[in-house]
Amino acid sequence: MRPLAAGERVLEYKGEITAWRDAIRRHRREGVVGHTFLFGLSDGRVIDGSRGGNSARWLNHACAPNCETIEDAGRIFIHTLRPIEAGAELFIDYLLATDDPLDEDVRAQYACRCGAADCRHSMLADAA
Ligand SMILES: [Zn+2]
């Protein structure tokens, strides 16, 4: 809707705060495939954007994103990393983690095709 300056706080990642264990159990029970809206907090809990979440849960991943996430007192905020033109899509680096062994299926599931010059070809934080 309007241009953004670098360092602007544009959104809060909202949702129900819960324990990882409960969020994963609910996710499996509801059988959702392909999408999770779980955002990990540094204290070990998670924000479940599928419960009371907002549009922040639809932000896509990019390896060279124009936004970053900042945790502040148990809340997650989306901040711009550089000036962004009106109408441009906002991206964050998902930096995902998985407990699954990194076999080909798992790598494929988290593949990134963002097209950045330094694309690491994965939405996982540690894809090496
Ligand atoms: Zn990428």
Side-chain angles (χ1 to χ4, degrees), residues 5-126:
E8 267 193 67
R9 177 177 285 189
V10 286
L11 275 172
E12 179 175 0
Y13 193 97
K14 291 192 170 184
E16 186 183 302
I17 295 179
T18 184
W20 264 115
R21 192 183 50 212
D22 296 337
I24 288 170
R25 188 180 304 137
R26 177 191 291 159
H27 183 69
R28 288 192 178 134
R29 187 175 59 234
E30 293 175 356
V32 184
V33 176
H35 270 117
T36 61
F37 299 113
L38 305 178
F39 201 113
L41 293 168
S42 59
D43 66 3
R45 295 179 303 161
V46 63
I47 300 175
D48 185 348
S50 72
R51 304 268 166 155
N54 60 354
S55 60
R57 72 185 189 274
W58 299 114
L59 286 168
N60 281 313
H61 164 90
C63 294
N66 53 13
C67 293
E68 65 179 339
T69 56
I70 294 177
E71 183 173 338
D72 183 4
R75 297 163 71 185
I76 296 291
F77 297 95
I78 314 298
H79 287 237
T80 56
L81 283 166
R82 54 178 177 262
I84 300 173
E85 292 176 23
E89 182 170 355
L90 305 181
F91 295 96
I92 56 173
D93 187 332
Y94 283 0
L95 297 172
L96 296 176
T98 177
D99 291 331
D100 297 324
L102 278 181
D103 62 18
E104 283 212 11
D105 286 349
V106 171
R107 285 181 196 278
Q109 190 180 343
Y110 296 106
C112 178
R113 299 174 190 87
C114 74
D118 54 353
C119 176
R120 63 179 188 273
H121 307 291
S122 178
M123 296 183 280
L124 295 166
D126 183 15

